[in-house]
Amino acid sequence: MGLDLAESLRLQAVDALANIRTRRIVVGYLPRNTATLVTNSWRSAKNQQTTRVKCGDGTSDAGIIALATHCPCLKSMNLCGCDNITDAAVIALATHCPSLKSISLSGCSNVTDAAVIALATPCPSLTSISLTGCNNITDAAVIALATHCPSPTS
């Protein structure tokens, strides 16, 4: 039954996204295997232009890692309020999405300096980062952003 649902989601994603130029994806409560199936179908549908993603509360590291791996052209990621997200998800975005320009980590209380420092170095286009409510961020992360991100806007 789970495979039928996953296959159905994959087919729906291919149909829904086949004729759209720039896609906006909203990710919610998807198990890792379903998220991987869906992102693989986006990729196989030549969806190299997925540029903006907004995630819902309850989104897991596994879902974000799958998106980062299969959607390398991401430019904007909104993880606002995703309190389950940890450094692992943000580091995956930094590793696989070098064109990232904007990221909101507001309310991601499990994110630390390690994630922000990982974003600063390989994402030279990063111009906007929101860290409101990220209580584990210190001056080290801010210094890394100031050093490696040449044109921050916010």
Side-chain angles (χ1 to χ4, degrees):
M1 182 85 158
L3 185 58
D4 292 336
L5 174 61
E7 182 63 15
S8 173
L9 283 172
R10 186 188 71 75
L11 292 173
Q12 289 175 22
V14 170
D15 290 342
L17 298 173
N19 296 317
I20 301 172
R21 268 195 166 158
T22 301
R23 283 106 175 147
R24 182 171 186 172
I25 303 166
V26 179
V27 178
Y29 303 93
L30 289 179
R32 179 176 173 33
N33 59 348
T34 305
T36 301
L37 273 173
V38 171
T39 55
N40 280 339
S41 68
W42 290 330
R43 188 173 184 172
S44 68
K46 304 283 188 241
N47 184 22
Q48 298 302 318
Q49 296 175 5
T50 299
T51 59
R52 296 180 294 156
V53 176
K54 179 178 181 181
C55 297
D57 184 35
T59 302
S60 68
D61 281 352
I64 299 305
I65 291 167
L67 280 169
T69 303
H70 298 292
C71 298
C73 295
L74 286 177
K75 292 184 181 179
S76 177
M77 176 61 86
N78 185 341
L79 296 171
C80 184
C82 296
D83 55 0
N84 294 329
I85 297 300
T86 68
D87 290 346
V90 180
I91 291 170
L93 288 167
T95 303
H96 298 289
C97 305
S99 299
L100 201 61
K101 290 184 178 194
S102 172
I103 187 166
S104 176
L105 298 171
S106 296
C108 296
S109 57
N110 295 317
V111 172
T112 70
D113 286 347
V116 176
I117 292 168
L119 273 172
T121 307
C123 298
S125 299
L126 192 64
T127 58
S128 175
I129 184 167
S130 177
L131 300 170
T132 305
C134 296
N135 300 327
N136 295 316
I137 303 299
T138 68
D139 290 347
V142 177
I143 290 168
L145 288 170
T147 303
H148 297 289
C149 299
S151 53
T153 59
S154 63

